[in-house]
Amino acid sequence: MALSKDDWSAIWLSCQVATLAATMLLPVAILVAWWLARSPMRGKWLVETVVNLPLVLPPVVTGFLLLVIFSPRGWVGATLGQVGVVLVTNWGAAVLAAAVVSFPLAVRAVKLAFQEADHDLEQIARTLGAGPWLTFWRVSLPLARRGMVAGWFLAFARALGEFGATIMVAGNIAGQTRTIPLAVFSRANAGVDGYQHAWPLVIIAVMLACGALLAGNWLERRAT
């Protein structure tokens, strides 16, 4: 069955949202992963628990919390609204939801890469006069590069499949926030004919997710 114009719109929007979400979260994920892998602080388990919460929370609950925080009357949304930034019921909200639920996967992949990297090389750089940040940029990052790329692919794959948080904070607006999962949901609610029209999107979603997961897992194995 041929893809309709709305199907192509959902596919294109999903790829855009997933790409931007994975790209935006990666720098923060790298810093958090490096701190978790290298910090001697005893309380870092609490930070790691907070980072991993989106993995275990129902996505709808995550979306509800984002809605409370970023709605025009929310803690952060009210401040952003004063400068004309709105992060609900629009494309930016879909990116925000995808980034939040994908963040833990990126952190876990990058953290593993830092843990597997040769820590002695970092110590040698420090003894030769390099400061913490220079060592981070010149030694730690290159050693963990495959883990970073793996983290990006895993976050991209997770962002492609995001549904619960997205529908809560971004809505299901055709051409604006209706990604592949939301389009499949809309088709399925349309009855028997909708089920038949959903299959092309389901197949595309499976292909995209499998490709991203295979790339991420391969790079993660190379990193270790």
Side-chain angles (χ1 to χ4, degrees), residues 117-171:
D118 190 348
H119 191 49
D120 290 340
L121 295 177
E122 296 175 336
Q123 295 297 330
I124 291 171
R126 295 297 301 274
T127 60
L128 292 175
W133 281 108
L134 183 59
T135 302
F136 174 74
W137 284 108
R138 299 296 297 274
V139 180
S140 303
L141 283 182
L143 289 174
R145 64 188 182 279
R146 288 195 180 95
M148 296 173 197
V149 180
W152 187 94
F153 275 107
L154 292 174
F156 176 84
R158 178 63 185 87
L160 277 176
E162 169 47 36
F163 173 80
T166 301
I167 201 169
M168 285 293 294
V169 73

Side-chain angles (χ1 to χ4, degrees), residues 139-203:
V139 180
S140 303
L141 283 182
L143 289 174
R145 64 188 182 279
R146 288 195 180 95
M148 296 173 197
V149 180
W152 187 94
F153 275 107
L154 292 174
F156 176 84
R158 178 63 185 87
L160 277 176
E162 169 47 36
F163 173 80
T166 301
I167 201 169
M168 285 293 294
V169 73
N172 187 9
I173 307 170
Q176 296 184 37
T177 65
R178 184 173 291 173
T179 56
I180 293 176
L182 297 177
V184 172
F185 175 77
S186 299
R187 297 283 195 280
N189 282 338
V192 177
D193 291 339
Y195 271 83
Q196 295 176 350
H197 287 87
W199 273 111
L201 285 174
V202 171
I203 294 171

Side-chain angles (χ1 to χ4, degrees), residues 19-215:
T19 300
L20 187 56
T23 303
M24 289 177 60
L25 68 83
L26 189 60
V28 181
I30 290 171
L31 293 176
V32 172
W34 177 74
W35 183 82
L36 290 174
R38 293 289 183 261
S39 174
M41 289 183 60
R42 294 182 179 179
K44 67 180 182 180
W45 62 269
L46 182 60
V47 176
E48 193 161 11
T49 300
V50 173
V51 167
N52 288 321
L53 266 181
L55 285 178
V56 295
L57 280 178
V60 172
V61 173
T62 301
F64 176 80
L65 294 174
L66 291 175
L67 191 60
V68 169
I69 295 171
F70 290 97
S71 68
R73 295 182 179 181
W75 311 331
V76 179
T79 303
L80 293 177
Q82 295 177 358
V83 294
V85 178
V86 179
L87 284 178
V88 290
T89 63
N90 55 27
W91 188 80
V95 175
L96 173 65
V100 170
V101 298
S102 305
F103 184 73
L105 290 178
V107 171
R108 288 164 72 94
V110 181
K111 178 188 171 186
L112 178 62
F114 280 127
Q115 289 175 335
E116 295 290 339
D118 190 348
H119 191 49
D120 290 340
L121 295 177
E122 296 175 336
Q123 295 297 330
I124 291 171
R126 295 297 301 274
T127 60
L128 292 175
W133 281 108
L134 183 59
T135 302
F136 174 74
W137 284 108
R138 299 296 297 274
V139 180
S140 303
L141 283 182
L143 289 174
R145 64 188 182 279
R146 288 195 180 95
M148 296 173 197
V149 180
W152 187 94
F153 275 107
L154 292 174
F156 176 84
R158 178 63 185 87
L160 277 176
E162 169 47 36
F163 173 80
T166 301
I167 201 169
M168 285 293 294
V169 73
N172 187 9
I173 307 170
Q176 296 184 37
T177 65
R178 184 173 291 173
T179 56
I180 293 176
L182 297 177
V184 172
F185 175 77
S186 299
R187 297 283 195 280
N189 282 338
V192 177
D193 291 339
Y195 271 83
Q196 295 176 350
H197 287 87
W199 273 111
L201 285 174
V202 171
I203 294 171
I204 294 293
V206 171
M207 292 173 60
L208 289 171
C210 285
L213 281 174
L214 287 172

